[in-house]
Amino acid sequence: MCSKILVAALITCVHTFSPQHNSATQTFRSTRSTRLLSTRNNDYSLFETVRRKEAQLEQFRMQHKDPQDELQMLLGYFDAEPDFGSATKLASALRRPGRLSVGVDIKRRSPTSSLRVDFNDAGGVADSFIDSGIDFVVANADYESYGGDTTDIEQAVASVHKSSPDTPVIFKDIIIDPLQLALAKQLKFDAALVMACVVGKDLTDLLDTGTLINLPIIVECHTPEEVALAVEGGAGTILLNRVDRFGGNEFHATQPFAIRDELPPGNVVTTLVTGKVFDTLESNLFLQEGFDGVLIGEGLVGNPSASSLIKELHDLKLDDEGEINRGNVF
């Protein structure tokens, strides 16, 4: 297993940055992904996004081809001392008994919405959400899809770790290769987000890599098949997206409820909901149905009422009978 992943890492790579950072451009490639081999026609083609990543491979591969390179050494398990700090930190932040955890997806734009926000300091944006009581932060590295770059992710990690050490920062990109997870680990992220619709059956290898380098993986899913694949691979946290990235970005409001049956019993998997979460009304249902938290992008980033929304979501609580108690929201 070790040699298989390491060899794959040598011929594939991970990460991209904005044109302003050409000297540090890093890229991804996956020749093994199965689901993207046939894509539907839509304005935002996930297939073309992955093709773009693949085309950006060569420089990153050359930068990290040395077997003594830190990323290669991470994948080679030279840094394999047991350390469950990140997993404990993530679980504590995402699971808040009796209430929803709330995360912010910091990005300038989104391929699945009309979001367009301008900011210069991702660290400052992250700090503003820390001040508002956010439970976890997602930092975006992909420029074309999310407007993020290497400066953004480094600023976000540094700022959050300094101002709120117990708040996890999650690496988000179009992850398709183990080397990208090594990069997230090197940059001191607390976890990484992997999209099941992008990697298909490669998901198990990526989950194994995350375990071996002590980097928790959050798996984004939309369909029952994706959830089943994540559960089979041993995913501890699943993000249920109401937007179908693979299906033309169609929005399905009740999708998380429709695919809950694929989750194992006993609440052993942490479950989050994302995709056009804007208010407390739907979030009531998420809490009532046993979901652990929500990840919000457009509803928080650039929203002048973001602090109020976070407070309202935190004030939603279950009473002793398991029913919603709105606390002091109104």
Side-chain angles (χ1 to χ4, degrees), residues 156-306:
V157 168
S159 294
V160 175
H161 285 176
K162 180 179 179 180
S163 61
S164 182
D166 292 332
T167 302
V169 190
I170 299 159
F171 180 87
K172 180 182 173 185
D173 214 328
I174 312 222
I175 294 176
I176 56 180
D177 188 275
L179 195 61
Q180 187 174 4
L181 300 180
L183 177 65
K185 179 72 174 181
Q186 182 191 50
L187 294 176
K188 301 188 184 306
F189 277 87
D190 300 296
L193 194 156
V194 175
M195 302 171 191
C197 67
V198 169
V199 299
K201 293 181 179 180
D202 291 346
L203 178 61
T204 299
D205 283 349
L206 292 171
L207 287 167
D208 288 345
T209 299
T211 298
L212 289 164
I213 65 173
N214 301 311
L215 182 74
I217 304 297
I218 298 173
V219 182
E220 179 187 299
C221 302
H222 177 76
T223 67
E225 293 79 9
E226 290 168 2
V227 172
L229 184 64
V231 171
E232 181 181 355
T237 303
I238 293 178
L239 174 68
L240 300 167
N241 196 341
R242 301 195 293 172
V243 176
D244 186 0
R245 296 181 187 275
F246 189 71
N249 292 326
E250 293 180 359
F251 176 66
H252 304 275
T254 61
Q255 188 71 355
F257 308 110
I259 59 182
R260 274 190 64 87
D261 288 345
E262 297 297 331
L263 297 171
N267 201 29
V268 296
V269 174
T270 300
T271 54
L272 310 172
V273 177
T274 194
K276 302 186 185 300
V277 178
F278 295 114
D279 55 44
T280 59
L281 296 179
E282 287 183 308
S283 297
N284 284 346
L285 297 177
F286 302 148
L287 180 59
Q288 197 169 27
E289 290 295 320
F291 293 99
D292 295 294
V294 291
L295 173 62
I296 306 176
E298 186 177 3
L300 289 178
V301 180
N303 178 0
S305 301

Side-chain angles (χ1 to χ4, degrees), residues 9-20:
L10 286 167
I11 64 172
T12 59
C13 47
V14 211
H15 205 57
T16 187
F17 304 102
S18 73
Q20 292 90 329

Side-chain angles (χ1 to χ4, degrees), residues 85-104:
S86 291
T88 301
K89 179 178 179 178
L90 186 68
S92 297
L94 300 187
R95 288 200 170 195
R96 306 281 183 163
R99 75 160 174 87
L100 288 172
S101 62
V102 182
V104 60

